[in-house]
Amino acid sequence: MANARPILKRFASDAFRRPISEEKLDVLHGLVKAKRDSGTSAFESLKIGFRAVLCSPDFLYLQEPEGELDNYALASRLSYFLWGNRPDEELIEAAAKGKLTKPSVLQAQ
């Protein structure tokens, strides 16, 4: 099940509204791998990883560091303020490039 890691990475990054850390991805992948190694089907094994993501505080709550907001936190606050939903691809891309801390880009969004 070589493609489990990229699948989990994309799903968790979308759910968490920011890139997932390698440490958290390792834990998720370990859950899926352990389930798969015990004889569970690939699909059922992935579902365990998806459940873990959906039960995570990173998904359920807006987890933002104290102090000045980073680009991903700005993207989340902006999107929930304007649309009441998670950041879209354009906003996440702007956050990934570090552009949201620029006042002109933030105002344009």
Side-chain angles (χ1 to χ4, degrees):
M1 191 153 144
N3 60 348
R5 192 171 182 89
I7 291 170
L8 287 168
K9 184 175 185 173
R10 177 162 183 183
F11 182 78
S13 293
D14 284 349
F16 296 165
R17 299 165 298 276
R18 64 179 58 242
I20 185 173
S21 69
E22 285 299 316
E23 295 82 23
K24 288 181 183 181
L25 185 57
D26 289 342
V27 171
L28 289 173
H29 189 252
L31 286 171
V32 172
K33 187 177 179 328
K35 201 67 170 165
R36 183 70 176 131
D37 291 346
S38 72
T40 306
S41 72
F43 179 70
E44 290 298 319
S45 298
L46 268 176
K47 283 175 43 177
I48 296 297
F50 294 157
R51 283 187 196 129
V53 168
L54 296 176
C55 292
S56 170
D58 291 320
F59 171 70
L60 296 172
Y61 307 106
L62 286 175
Q63 303 264 6
E64 298 171 352
E66 289 187 30
E68 189 173 333
L69 298 177
D70 65 11
N71 281 276
Y72 293 105
L74 283 171
S76 289
R77 285 192 179 192
L78 186 61
S79 68
Y80 282 105
F81 174 71
L82 295 174
W83 307 299
N85 205 345
R86 68 182 186 85
D88 61 6
E89 202 168 313
E90 179 183 334
L91 208 49
I92 288 292
E93 187 176 317
K97 291 179 179 176
K99 293 182 176 180
L100 286 180
T101 53
K102 296 179 182 174
S104 60
V105 175
L106 189 59
Q107 186 175 3
Q109 288 292 332

